[in-house]
Amino acid sequence: LVLSGRVPQQSNNTISLDLQAHGAESSAEFTSWPDFHNGAAAGLRVAEGQAKLTRTWIVFNRPRQPSHSHAGLLMALGLLGHLEVLAPPDVYRYLTQEHDATTVGILLGMAAARRGTMDSTVSKMLFLHIPTRHPPSFPELELPAPVQAAALLGVGLLYMGSCHRLMTEILVAEIGRRPGPLVTYDREGYALAAGLALGLVTLGRG
């Protein structure tokens, strides 16, 4: 990740972004999601024009420690349809890492790989990450706002073009859901994800 640039007005001198001046925690905030996008770009480049990647290749390249760059790679592989070769235990291992970016990559990647299929297994996985749709007897889960938004957008991809009535009603309800104990932080992003998902579900259906 390049964090420097040239300034033509200063004889093309190279100036680097001093992350240390903002502290260690702020440095991670600066680079985490750019690393995610770099990983996604690398995934699209690696898998471009190739036949289906094997489950062995994907699992073998899983790092010991989760990272934002690998999370982006997973999303990219899903966009190209390669994640459909993963078995449920493989997906479970990714989710149990409790790494927000990896969870986002898996949710969006699996939904994109199965887009338009209404796959019941992937659907259950997505709704597990939408606390507002849990039954009252379900244990309370604290899930980050980006994970919830990714799950909503994943629903749109999974049911894309189906005009599924129940999913449509659920997404309309999530768009207008008022802030509460389960949806507080980044409420605008949550509503936007629900709106985009609604558009995908009803795509091309008037």
Side-chain angles (χ1 to χ4, degrees):
L1 184 63
V2 179
L3 298 176
S4 60
R6 294 184 181 274
V7 182
Q9 294 81 1
Q10 299 181 10
S11 302
N12 285 329
N13 289 334
T14 301
I15 298 179
S16 299
L17 180 64
D18 185 9
L19 297 179
Q20 299 300 326
H22 301 279
E25 295 182 359
S26 297
S27 299
E29 293 177 2
F30 274 118
T31 60
S32 57
W33 288 108
D35 281 336
F36 181 92
H37 297 304
N38 268 2
L44 293 172
R45 186 168 61 249
V46 168
E48 182 180 4
Q50 294 187 6
K52 288 290 184 182
L53 297 178
T54 64
R55 170 186 173 272
T56 303
W57 189 94
I58 297 174
V59 174
F60 180 78
N61 284 280
R62 182 176 65 230
R64 293 187 178 182
Q65 295 296 329
S67 65
H68 280 72
S69 57
H70 186 71
L73 172 68
L74 290 173
M75 187 186 74
L77 295 181
L79 290 173
L80 296 173
H82 295 295
L83 288 191
E84 62 183 1
V85 299
L86 291 182
D90 301 325
V91 177
Y92 176 78
R93 291 189 189 97
Y94 279 115
L95 295 177
T96 53
Q97 291 178 327
E98 297 184 356
H99 185 252
D100 294 348
T102 299
T103 302
V104 168
I106 279 291
L107 293 179
L108 290 177
M110 290 297 296
R114 303 259 182 193
R115 57 186 175 274
T117 64
M118 299 185 290
D119 184 273
S120 60
T121 302
V122 178
S123 181
K124 291 176 183 177
M125 178 185 69
L126 293 172
F127 278 100
L128 181 65
H129 293 84
I130 306 176
T132 57
R133 310 312 304 183
H134 293 172
S137 60
F138 201 84
E140 184 175 341
L141 297 178
E142 294 184 6
L143 296 172
V147 171
Q148 295 186 43
L152 280 174
L153 190 55
V155 171
L157 289 168
L158 188 66
Y159 289 85
M160 186 174 70
S162 66
C163 207
H164 193 284
R165 179 170 180 175
L166 177 59
M167 296 302 137
T168 301
E169 293 175 350
I170 288 175
L171 293 171
V172 169
E174 295 306 312
I175 292 174
R177 184 174 296 280
R178 295 187 177 186
L182 298 177
V183 182
T184 53
Y185 174 71
D186 199 11
R187 176 66 186 81
E188 294 80 4
Y190 185 88
L192 177 61
L196 292 173
L198 177 63
L200 288 170
V201 171
T202 58
L203 185 66
R205 295 304 183 96

